[in-house]
Amino acid sequence: MTRAVLSLGSNLGDRLAHLRLAVAGFADVLVAASPVYETAPWGVTDQGDFLNAVLIVSGDVDEWGWLRRGQALERAAGRVRERRWGPRTLDVDVVTVDGVRSTAPELLLPHPGTHERASVLVPWLDVEPDAVVPVHGRARDLLAGLDVGGVTRRDDLRLT
């Protein structure tokens, strides 16, 4: 049995529907889902804003199983990988799995950049106020050093 933190993002098409697809795809293992946030793009900034959320899931799946399950949902949403950090219908990132560390190119854990992305830390803290990013420290402390101006909670949008 493992517990994973997953970050969801979408900035193409029906963004909310894509996030809901992911929530439905993890419904059988869902422990918690954050509120939806609208965020400015990170990395490649010449694209539309994202809707983001974080899920906490738990099940008889290892870190690779969580990755494969997320990738299947990305394919179901019609994701096409054209450029790194580019626009996407659905992005499901495995942020951390029980503190496991991985240097495998296909599955880096903790997920690279988590410690510097308010778009992940803010919703994660909504569902896990004592969240810790392995290797980097408490999410709350990491967030204190970041600009959260581009992260807006969208209480008018519901994942379920």
Side-chain angles (χ1 to χ4, degrees), residues 46-113:
D46 63 336
Q47 58 183 314
D49 286 350
F50 280 82
L51 290 183
N52 293 102
V54 164
L55 305 180
I56 307 291
V57 294
S58 180
D60 291 324
V61 180
D62 67 7
E63 60 271 20
W64 291 98
W66 294 122
L67 175 67
R68 299 290 180 244
R69 197 163 170 176
Q71 289 173 331
L73 291 165
E74 289 175 346
R75 284 190 300 277
R79 176 160 181 186
V80 177
R81 295 176 188 269
E82 292 181 352
R83 101 178 140 157
R84 186 175 188 195
W85 297 323
R88 61 211 80 152
T89 54
L90 179 63
D91 187 30
V92 179
D93 289 332
V94 179
V95 175
T96 185
V97 180
D98 289 333
V100 170
R101 305 250 347 250
S102 173
T103 58
E106 191 179 353
L107 180 60
L108 298 170
L109 291 175
H111 191 274

Side-chain angles (χ1 to χ4, degrees), residues 114-118 120-122 124-125 128-148:
T114 295
H115 65 285
E116 54 192 6
R117 294 184 189 178
V120 176
L121 297 175
V122 170
W124 186 5
L125 286 166
E128 190 171 44
D130 295 324
V132 173
V133 181
V135 181
H136 299 284
R138 290 173 19 113
R140 188 162 310 287
D141 295 340
L142 297 167
L143 186 61
L146 299 178
D147 177 8
V148 296

